[in-house]
Amino acid sequence: MPDDNAPKRPNIILILADDMGYSDLCCYGGEISTPNLDRLAEEGMRFSQMYNTARCCPSRASLLTGLNPHQTGVGHMGNNIEGEPSYQGYLNNRCVTIAEVLRDAGYRTGISGKWHCGSDPERADEGHPQLQRGFEQMFWFEGGNGYFNHTRFFIDRTAVEASGTDYLTDMITDHAVRMVDDVKNDDRPFFLHVAYTAPHWPLQALEENIENYRGKYSDGWDVTRTVRHERLKASGVLDEKWEISPRDDTVEAWEDASHKEWEDMRMAVYSAQVDRMDQGIGKICDALRANDVERDTVVIFLSDNGGCAEFLCEDRDNSNVDDSRVVPLTRDGRQVKVGNSPDITPGGDDTYMSYDTQWANVSNTPFKRFKRWTHEGGIATPLIVNWPAGISDKGRAGKISHTPVQLMDLNALCIDLGDGEYPTEFRGHEITPHEGESFREVLEGNDNWSKQRPLAWEHEGNQAIRVGDWKLMREHGKPWELYNLEQDRTELNNLAEGDTDRVSELASLYAEWMQRAGAVDWPPGAGGSWQFPGLNVNGTFQMRGHGHIIPRGFTRTAANARE
């Protein structure tokens, strides 16, 4: 007999933040006001060991397809390296997206926000890349140049010229709400991907939100990191024995910092961006309640990588910066001031600034490093899963899972929840077998569930593999490091020198993964001629105290500009 009390096939809302660190949310130790995400966590579940792939494009490709990013053709960014199929810069025809699988399973599909997975030129006659990849309803835009000075959007199949100075985060929210409201016109369950650009650079926020954080960071980054770490331990998200990593070695102590009031303002604007996103998520949840579908909707929230310490064009000391990503004038004709200068107050529509290494170090508390690295600071993300009919009703509300999971596992979970079938063939092409493992059992009460496959990463030559509690990792061009994450998740005690057998064993497993995933030695295509506009003459992408290596062989278009 069927179980009348079993949850029906749920709606799924998959929300992705952009460049938000592990500890920014209040429910993950932060001081930023995020009451809506906190409520979703309190009534749902938090995951302490959820991993992304260290950067925007690869993470989105992996999340959407359930594969390692190299297997999708997006091994790096939305650029192309001739002769390197793993780095073609757009989703290939050997993968399928969640939207394609769930649409075929009877779901209505929609996306509001950022895409950043490229577009197959051979399928251009099918319309926008989201249409090519299974989405029926769309609100999207090319790139993410700012939050105020927009030029053009696409709503469903129509290009719309922007008018006024609507805040981009609010626009993403409003169109997501529109798609939820359409449930009344369609009896199918829905899958909705909400891809915020917040809190990605530039630092631009509404004054009403900034004002709530002005002065909040006057104690500085050292104190803020310490307080966040203590909250994470007290909440049970992190183990008491994991010590906080030292302040990044490129960052001075707060007591020695110049321009403290300006530094406080930079983090205040960043926090306002996160705050506004949380308010938008609250509006989406309100729409679920208004349409009487909250109980049977799974809401999932995570970030695409760790906090970002990179510069695009904000460092005006670098004469080789590329300003092409900046809209030069505000909507009313004022010049946009580019640069991380204490002479410029951050936050307004006429500024373009970032929060820099010191505050990214705060966002990633208590871990080392940032976006692009395979240290925990680059790949660890908060993950919240809320599902009243499938979590709260099973007595799992408020639980914290410490099970390690990865983006492709989240993809498998969504397909599992929707009773979808991952195909072996699609549109006449053989499909790469799914890499993910659904962790639905964890939501339903099995705390002993664990992945059977190792977790592995490669980004810009930064490499890592995790098997059980053991993580082998190395920065590009440097020796292997070995950590026992059960004892030392903040990666302070490198055990490689004293455990060479384990290093060899894990390195061998990593080599097998590279071959299966299609990852190659960095940089790929290094033998060919290359151009990548906007970089330093030595081929690095500017960061304070860190070089960002870009492979020879890349070309770039405006639509696939770096983010």
Side-chain angles (χ1 to χ4, degrees):
M1 294 289 292
D3 182 0
D4 293 335
N5 295 318
K8 65 181 182 181
R9 197 163 60 145
N11 307 304
I12 302 170
I13 300 181
L14 179 58
I15 305 173
L16 190 64
D18 197 343
D19 284 10
M20 193 195 78
Y22 186 83
S23 67
D24 283 326
L25 303 180
C26 189
C27 56
Y28 277 82
E31 65 294 317
I32 302 173
S33 177
T34 54
N36 296 293
L37 284 165
D38 297 346
R39 181 189 65 81
L40 290 174
E42 182 180 354
E43 297 175 2
M45 291 185 65
R46 281 174 289 175
F47 288 74
S48 68
Q49 300 197 57
M50 174 67 193
Y51 291 103
N52 50 50
T53 66
R55 187 177 293 285
C56 174
C57 290
S59 283
R60 292 162 198 271
S62 184
L63 179 62
L64 286 171
T65 65
L67 301 176
N68 295 290
H70 311 80
Q71 293 172 308
T72 75
V74 190
H76 186 253
M77 294 291 290
N79 311 287
N80 175 263
I81 303 178
E82 187 175 352
E84 294 286 355
S86 297
Y87 301 86
Q88 69 181 25
Y90 56 89
L91 298 179
N92 60 36
N93 57 21
R94 296 179 302 282
C95 63
V96 291
T97 69
I98 304 176
E100 288 172 311
V101 173
L102 292 184
R103 181 194 59 190
D104 284 1
Y107 273 69
R108 177 166 57 86
T109 58
I111 180 171
S112 182
K114 182 176 176 179
W115 174 244
H116 221 207
C117 284
S119 180
D120 187 344
E122 295 183 2
R123 296 176 62 177
D125 59 339
E126 299 176 34
H128 305 312
Q130 296 86 347
L131 283 172
Q132 299 171 16
R133 288 299 181 169
F135 290 98
E136 301 171 38
Q137 292 181 291
M138 300 170 295
F139 167 72
W140 69 286
F141 42 88
E142 302 275 12
N145 296 0
Y147 293 83
F148 291 105
N149 305 313
H150 322 299
T151 54
R152 199 182 197 201
F153 300 100
F154 296 89
I155 299 176
D156 295 335
R157 292 161 176 78
T158 304
V160 178
E161 297 299 325
S163 61
T165 55
D166 291 336
Y167 192 61
L168 182 56
T169 300
D170 291 350
M171 297 177 74
I172 294 170
T173 294
D174 292 344
H175 285 277
V177 168
R178 169 177 69 92
M179 294 174 196
V180 171
D181 285 342
D182 282 347
V183 69
K184 63 177 68 73
N185 302 316
D186 197 329
D187 59 4
R188 295 177 292 171
F190 64 82
F191 168 75
L192 172 59
H193 184 31
V194 184
Y196 284 106
T197 57
H200 192 288
W201 71 58
L203 293 176
Q204 293 179 348
L206 296 164
E207 182 58 35
E208 64 191 81
N209 300 131
I210 297 173
E211 191 59 35
N212 293 330
Y213 297 95
R214 194 185 302 268
K216 195 174 188 68
Y217 297 97
S218 58
D219 288 337
W221 39 76
D222 295 321
V223 168
T224 307
R225 289 187 78 227
T226 298
V227 172
R228 287 190 178 195
H229 184 222
E230 292 304 314
R231 287 176 179 153
L232 280 163
K233 292 189 297 182
S235 69
V237 172
L238 295 185
D239 196 306
E240 285 275 355
K241 64 175 173 283
W242 295 336
E243 298 180 10
I244 191 170
S245 64
R247 180 194 328 112
D248 189 80
D249 57 16
T250 67
V251 176
E252 62 189 346
W254 175 254
E255 62 187 30
D256 298 325
S258 305
H259 313 293
K260 289 184 171 64
E261 185 175 346
W262 174 69
E263 290 286 8
D264 167 79
M265 274 297 295
R266 286 211 280 179
M267 190 60 186
V269 177
Y270 176 89
S271 298
Q273 293 177 193
V274 175
D275 186 320
R276 194 71 178 194
M277 175 180 63
D278 180 81
Q279 293 180 44
I281 292 168
K283 292 179 180 179
I284 294 169
C285 292
D286 289 343
L288 293 175
R289 283 189 289 274
N291 287 286
D292 198 26
V293 293
E294 180 182 36
R295 171 179 163 75
D296 295 309
T297 300
V298 180
V299 179
I300 301 167
F301 176 88
L302 72 160
S303 180
D304 62 352
N305 46 247
C308 178
E310 299 170 356
F311 296 144
L312 180 68
C313 58
E314 304 93 276
D315 186 357
R316 306 312 292 157
D317 294 332
N318 174 18
S319 60
N320 295 308
V321 295
D322 174 22
D323 286 357
S324 64
R325 288 284 311 283
V326 179
V327 177
L329 300 176
T330 64
R331 297 292 296 177
D332 57 1
R334 288 169 290 125
Q335 185 72 36
V336 173
K337 300 181 287 291
V338 180
N340 289 342
S341 169
D343 298 328
I344 303 171
T345 301
D349 61 345
D350 62 344
T351 65
Y352 194 105
M353 194 177 297
S354 61
Y355 77 156
D356 218 330
T357 309
Q358 51 269 40
W359 293 117
N361 204 184
V362 170
S363 285
N364 297 334
T365 300
F367 304 126
K368 293 193 294 188
R369 294 301 201 215
F370 318 94
K371 169 183 178 179
R372 96 171 175 92
W373 274 283
T374 54
H375 295 79
E376 296 290 287
I379 58 177
T381 174
L383 172 66
I384 297 169
V385 182
N386 181 284
W387 182 20
I391 293 177
S392 300
D393 287 3
K394 294 183 179 293
R396 300 288 284 170
K399 298 289 186 181
I400 300 172
S401 172
H402 303 294
T403 300
V405 286
Q406 213 168 359
L407 292 175
M408 60 274 289
D409 305 317
L410 192 52
N411 176 287
L413 172 67
C414 291
I415 292 173
D416 183 3
L417 292 172
D419 289 338
E421 183 176 348
Y422 194 87
T424 57
E425 184 178 303
F426 192 77
R427 295 174 62 97
H429 299 284
E430 184 178 347
I431 298 301
T432 303
H434 203 293
E435 290 275 334
E437 302 171 42
S438 172
F439 53 95
R440 181 173 182 167
E441 289 183 34
V442 177
L443 304 183
E444 297 177 342
N446 183 3
D447 291 320
N448 295 318
W449 181 93
S450 63
K451 278 178 62 69
Q452 299 305 300
R453 275 182 167 169
L455 293 79
W457 300 263
E458 187 283 326
H459 183 68
E460 296 183 357
N462 298 316
Q463 303 173 332
I465 186 168
R466 177 172 177 174
V467 179
D469 293 330
W470 291 96
K471 180 182 177 184
L472 186 72
M473 59 83 58
R474 63 182 172 190
E475 296 183 37
H476 180 245
K478 295 185 178 181
W480 286 114
E481 301 173 26
L482 178 68
Y483 299 99
N484 184 312
L485 297 190
E486 194 279 327
Q487 294 295 320
D488 174 32
R489 193 173 171 208
T490 49
E491 300 170 319
L492 303 182
N493 185 21
N494 179 8
L495 303 172
E497 188 174 330
D499 200 346
T500 56
D501 288 345
R502 194 182 303 274
V503 169
S504 297
E505 178 186 357
L506 292 176
S508 177
L509 289 174
Y510 185 78
E512 293 175 9
W513 174 84
M514 282 190 71
Q515 184 174 15
R516 187 179 82 248
V520 302
D521 289 337
W522 188 262
S529 60
W530 67 287
Q531 290 290 324
F532 197 103
L535 300 180
N536 297 335
V537 292
N538 65 353
T540 63
F541 189 63
Q542 180 66 25
M543 300 188 343
R544 182 164 298 167
H546 302 290
H548 184 145
I549 301 171
I550 301 297
R552 287 168 164 77
F554 276 163
T555 57
R556 181 178 74 166
T557 66
N560 290 330
R562 180 179 194 92
E563 286 186 47

